[in-house]
Amino acid sequence: MLDPSRGRAATITSPASATVFTMVLTQGPVSRVEIARRTGLSSAAVTKAARPFIDAGYLFEMAATERTGPGAGRPASPLAIHPDREFFVGVKITDDDLIGVVTDLRAQVVEEAHRSLSARTPEHVVAELKALADELLGRAPGYRERCHSLGLAISGDVDKSTGLVRYSPFLRWHEVPLGELARAATGLTVTVENDVKALTVAEHWFGEGVGASSFALVTVGLGIGCAVVVDDRLVAGARGVAGEIGHVPVGGDSPPCHCGGHGCVEAIAGTPAVVAAARAALGDETLTLDGAMAAARSGSPAAMAVFARAGEAIGRAMAAMANLIGPERIIVSGDMPGLAAYELFEDQLRAAFTQQAFGAAADCRLILRPSPFEQWARGAAAVAIQTLFTLQER
């Protein structure tokens, strides 16, 4: 039985402790023998690394269920996670809404809540963040006592190491110290990450990316996002913007993009761009995304051409990324408004990807995985989990 009075312990003290804990967290239950086999650590090193986690209540030994090897008389006791040893708050910040969740150690959502934003100023957003976190943590005994971390996911250029939002196009933020402001307001340890990278972390540790040493996640929605994992590590780049295929130029000199460039994938295939192009093509300034999709599904050549161009742009950018990193799989995800039109451009996306991908890169498996905003909030919580249980350079 878990003792809720146990204090939080700083148990990540070495590469071995990080390796052992994360393997049990993401792939467990798993025996010490199996951990040693997979990692190359000695049995003694695995036992030494696991002991602090057991003492702190994060891990426990299950009943013996398997033997350590042929002829061995001693059964192994798999290590498993106490998922409710610690809780995490994750929040996805959009331009008009906050979507919040509480997760356990395995990033399983146990609570969720939404809060509308009446303004986009950092001060208003942070005040609403505090209110949302207080609401979520007040829903059940133990949440507040066992929650020390808040993860925030936001679109745009984010410096995760400092919590600085350099640029968020949909909120129109520039150089906002969101991490610092949220820490002061909530009293929690705060991580801030680009929303696509946060969703990728959740897939890497707890989803379709488990077991893949390299994969990419591409999101389709208001913008076109991408994040990549190479050699089992999320690639951030020198300034945290690696993987931004939304701003790969595939359209020549047009159309202009909000980033200041021209012909970017996002300026062709993001939801606002698709709606604008459909309005121009059909001569209807009141047309919505739903209306554009309906027109394309009814056979309108002009509307179909808009979605076809979007699919081709995304496919070409995905191929460029695949040629550079050679992922085992690409997960195509995003919120439902963006992915609702997927079947209207899937053929063009796949054709462009196959045509432009070089050699065996074209064999990369494409996986469609819609992600409601609660999953993006879960991604923010997953970043907080990963940050807490990854050895940090000091």
Side-chain angles (χ1 to χ4, degrees):
M1 183 73 176
L2 180 64
D3 179 2
S5 66
R6 287 180 177 175
R8 176 170 163 232
T11 51
I12 298 295
T13 58
S14 68
S17 65
T19 297
V20 169
F21 184 80
T22 55
M23 180 168 287
V24 179
L25 177 64
T26 61
Q27 301 176 42
V30 60
S31 70
R32 289 180 175 86
V33 172
E34 183 63 14
I35 295 172
R37 186 187 70 80
R38 294 187 199 176
T39 64
L41 294 170
S42 68
S43 296
V46 172
T47 296
K48 180 179 179 182
R51 176 49 55 188
F53 294 106
I54 295 172
D55 292 342
Y58 289 99
L59 300 182
F60 70 98
E61 293 180 296
M62 299 178 68
T65 57
E66 61 184 69
R67 298 186 181 274
T68 59
R74 180 182 172 187
S77 299
L79 294 172
I81 290 286
H82 271 303
D84 60 348
R85 175 58 180 85
E86 188 138 357
F87 294 100
F88 299 81
V89 175
V91 179
K92 158 70 171 171
I93 303 173
T94 76
D95 57 345
D96 58 6
D97 202 11
L98 300 178
I99 302 91
V101 298
V102 175
T103 77
D104 63 17
L105 266 171
R106 288 194 181 277
Q108 295 302 304
V109 175
V110 295
E111 302 285 351
E112 62 181 60
H114 290 213
R115 242 181 141 77
S116 296
L117 294 174
S118 58
R120 297 175 182 171
T121 65
E123 295 78 14
H124 177 74
V125 171
V126 169
E128 293 299 313
L129 273 174
K130 173 176 169 45
L132 180 61
D134 286 344
E135 176 188 346
L136 286 165
L137 293 178
R139 287 188 175 178
Y143 286 167
R144 194 173 298 278
E145 291 76 10
R146 296 187 210 165
C147 178
H148 306 86
S149 302
L150 166 65
L152 303 177
I154 186 170
S155 66
D157 180 357
V158 175
D159 184 344
K160 178 176 176 285
S161 65
T162 64
L164 178 70
V165 178
R166 297 191 189 101
Y167 170 54
S168 184
F170 305 118
L171 286 164
R172 300 174 185 171
W173 283 4
H174 294 269
E175 305 298 323
V176 173
L178 180 60
E180 178 184 329
L181 294 172
R183 276 191 295 274
T186 65
L188 299 171
T189 298
V190 177
T191 57
V192 184
E193 182 59 285
N194 167 271
D195 54 358
V196 179
K197 288 184 171 62
L199 193 60
T200 304
V201 168
E203 293 292 348
H204 183 200
W205 274 33
F206 306 106
E208 291 284 354
V210 173
S213 64
S214 66
F215 73 95
L217 182 140
V218 174
T219 57
V220 179
L222 285 175
I224 306 300
C226 178
V228 296
V229 170
V230 177
D231 292 335
D232 226 21
R233 296 177 66 89
L234 179 69
V235 177
R239 292 174 176 80
V241 295
E244 284 287 352
I245 68 167
H247 299 286
V248 171
V250 297
D253 292 333
S254 65
C257 182
H258 64 79
C259 73
H262 291 80
C264 296
V265 177
E266 193 164 294
I268 297 170
T271 299
V274 167
V275 172
R279 286 175 175 176
L282 298 176
D284 181 356
E285 287 303 313
T286 66
L287 196 67
T288 63
L289 179 62
D290 287 342
M293 291 190 294
R297 288 174 180 141
S298 69
S300 163
M304 292 170 66
V306 169
F307 288 100
R309 188 185 183 207
E312 182 178 0
I314 298 169
R316 287 181 177 275
M318 286 170 51
M321 177 268 297
N323 290 342
L324 286 171
I325 69 167
E328 296 176 37
R329 63 195 71 160
I330 299 175
I331 304 165
V332 181
S333 188
D335 54 86
M336 284 312 298
L339 281 187
Y342 186 72
E343 88 278 4
L344 295 174
F345 58 76
E346 179 181 8
D347 289 347
Q348 291 80 11
L349 183 155
R350 289 182 180 272
F353 176 80
T354 300
Q355 181 182 36
Q356 292 295 125
F358 176 73
D363 298 330
C364 176
R365 185 160 63 101
L366 303 185
I367 302 168
L368 180 64
R369 186 176 173 88
S371 295
F373 278 135
E374 288 77 12
Q375 290 300 306
W376 297 71
R378 175 179 179 255
V383 173
I385 295 169
Q386 187 182 68
T387 301
L388 184 58
F389 294 109
T390 301
L391 184 67
Q392 304 295 311
E393 293 185 4
R394 290 173 169 81

